[in-house]
Amino acid sequence: MKLTVEQLQERMQYIRDHIESFNTEERAAKLNKMYDHFEERMMLAPASSTDHFHNSWPGGYIDHVMNITEAGKKLFELYNDFGFNLSYELDSVVFCTMHHDLGKLGSLDEDYYRPNPSEWHRINQGKMYEVNPNLHNMTVTDRAVYTLSQFGVTYSEEEYLGLRLADGMYEEGNKPYLMGFGEAKKIKSNIAQLVHQADMIATRFEMERYMFGEDANIPYAKILGVEVEQSVEENVEEVVETKKKKPNVDKDYKNQLFEDLFGDKK
């Protein structure tokens, strides 16, 4: 998937608008200062490293931020309608969804992801990016917390939990929070659950755009018996057959894609 300049700008404006609408004036000012620093990097950053994960293309990061935030807003309404005890406001949900992956922007000076120089890995494993080895080793959420601190952004204890535990049990370091035995050690707020579920919804949505799109390596629509636009399904089947019969065509395609995306970057 490739976003146009206008689509990138729309997503960036979405983030700016939500900063103003869902934060105090003081926190919004600090967040805007942070986004002034990262804006250009944000508009080009992917959300993951590998094409069959989610949003592994320039602009994938801000698209994911928009998708998880919309999912979080809808889940907040669902939680409220379902009768959950909400000890936080929608503002807190939006803060967590917008910053749960902030660590994927890297440090103040270095990108988190950089184009994978290995042609073999790009072609055979779809690994379009690699994690920048110049960065200190941190989890994405730990780096998010650290980055916010560099701009003086403060938040509540519940917001910290929503941000810190956004990856759920996918992150080994979250087990002490989520698997605490004894009543006193149970998570008292459901914000972390809501944010994690919003992340899962957004990620699955983004994965399915790939699965049922023309770039997929496997004919998911045919396997699952799902009807999609005929042209899309035919394209998927054609790509799969091409990869079986003519590996060089696939190689040329991915090399050209890599050149289109990163060829003019130093």
Side-chain angles (χ1 to χ4, degrees):
M1 185 168 176
K2 190 173 183 179
L3 297 179
T4 65
V5 173
E6 291 74 20
Q7 289 172 324
L8 289 170
Q9 291 172 337
E10 287 172 0
R11 283 155 176 75
M12 195 67 229
Q13 189 59 50
Y14 173 94
I15 290 173
R16 295 286 194 175
D17 289 344
H18 278 65
I19 290 171
E20 296 295 337
S21 300
F22 293 93
N23 292 279
T24 63
E25 185 176 344
E26 178 183 1
R27 187 159 80 172
K30 293 178 180 179
L31 288 170
N32 275 319
K33 183 178 179 181
M34 181 181 75
Y35 284 117
D36 288 342
H37 179 85
F38 285 111
E39 182 166 336
E40 182 178 349
R41 199 187 303 181
M42 286 176 63
M43 293 179 74
L44 296 174
S48 68
S49 62
T50 306
D51 60 8
H52 60 269
F53 289 173
H54 70 112
N55 283 16
S56 180
W57 33 264
Y61 174 85
I62 55 174
D63 183 75
H64 178 63
V65 169
M66 181 180 73
N67 292 332
I68 184 179
T69 299
E70 285 302 298
K73 288 155 67 176
K74 287 179 170 57
L75 282 174
F76 184 83
E77 293 179 9
L78 177 63
Y79 273 38
N80 190 49
D81 291 343
F82 214 79
F84 278 79
N85 292 310
L86 303 178
S87 53
Y88 49 89
E89 301 295 333
L90 180 58
D91 291 2
S92 294
V93 173
V94 171
F95 176 80
C96 293
T97 56
M98 287 186 63
H99 301 104
H100 77 294
D101 268 351
L102 183 64
K104 290 183 178 180
L105 296 181
S107 67
L108 296 183
D109 302 313
E110 295 264 2
D111 290 351
Y112 183 78
Y113 287 121
R114 66 183 190 180
N116 192 340
S118 170
E119 178 184 84
W120 189 92
H121 285 90
R122 296 198 308 269
I123 293 170
N124 295 287
Q125 296 185 352
K127 293 182 178 179
M128 302 304 289
Y129 297 88
E130 64 177 8
V131 176
N132 187 345
N134 296 330
L135 295 174
H136 289 293
N137 184 33
M138 296 185 193
T139 65
V140 169
T141 47
D142 281 349
R143 185 171 290 282
V145 169
Y146 172 77
T147 300
L148 289 167
S149 73
Q150 298 307 289
F151 292 88
V153 179
T154 59
Y155 35 90
S156 69
E157 197 170 8
E158 280 187 286
E159 288 172 336
Y160 170 78
L161 290 171
L163 186 70
R164 177 67 177 74
L165 303 177
D167 288 334
M169 293 295 284
Y170 287 97
E171 172 55 53
E172 187 74 20
N174 291 345
K175 284 187 177 182
Y177 291 91
L178 301 174
M179 295 182 64
F181 297 100
E183 185 174 359
K185 292 185 177 180
K186 289 185 179 296
I187 293 289
K188 296 175 175 61
S189 170
N190 54 46
I191 189 171
Q193 174 180 299
L194 189 155
V195 174
H196 179 54
Q197 289 175 336
D199 194 23
M200 295 295 289
I201 290 171
T203 300
R204 181 66 190 187
F205 167 70
E206 292 153 10
M207 286 177 60
E208 290 200 8
R209 282 192 307 200
Y210 164 82
M211 291 166 62
F212 302 113
E214 61 184 17
D215 294 330
N217 298 307
I218 297 172
Y220 293 97
K222 183 176 181 180
I223 293 170
L224 297 173
V226 175
E227 291 187 8
V228 296
E229 292 184 15
Q230 189 66 29
S231 59
V232 173
E233 190 169 3
E234 287 176 352
N235 283 338
V236 172
E237 292 180 354
E238 181 179 348
V239 169
V240 173
E241 289 303 314
T242 297
K243 287 179 178 180
K244 289 178 180 177
K245 298 176 182 178
K246 300 178 181 179
N248 288 334
V249 174
D250 180 52
K251 177 179 178 180
D252 292 341
Y253 165 73
K254 287 205 171 181
N255 279 339
Q256 186 59 52
L257 177 62
F258 185 80
E259 181 66 25
D260 289 344
L261 294 179
F262 309 118
D264 60 348
K265 294 186 71 177
K266 296 180 180 180

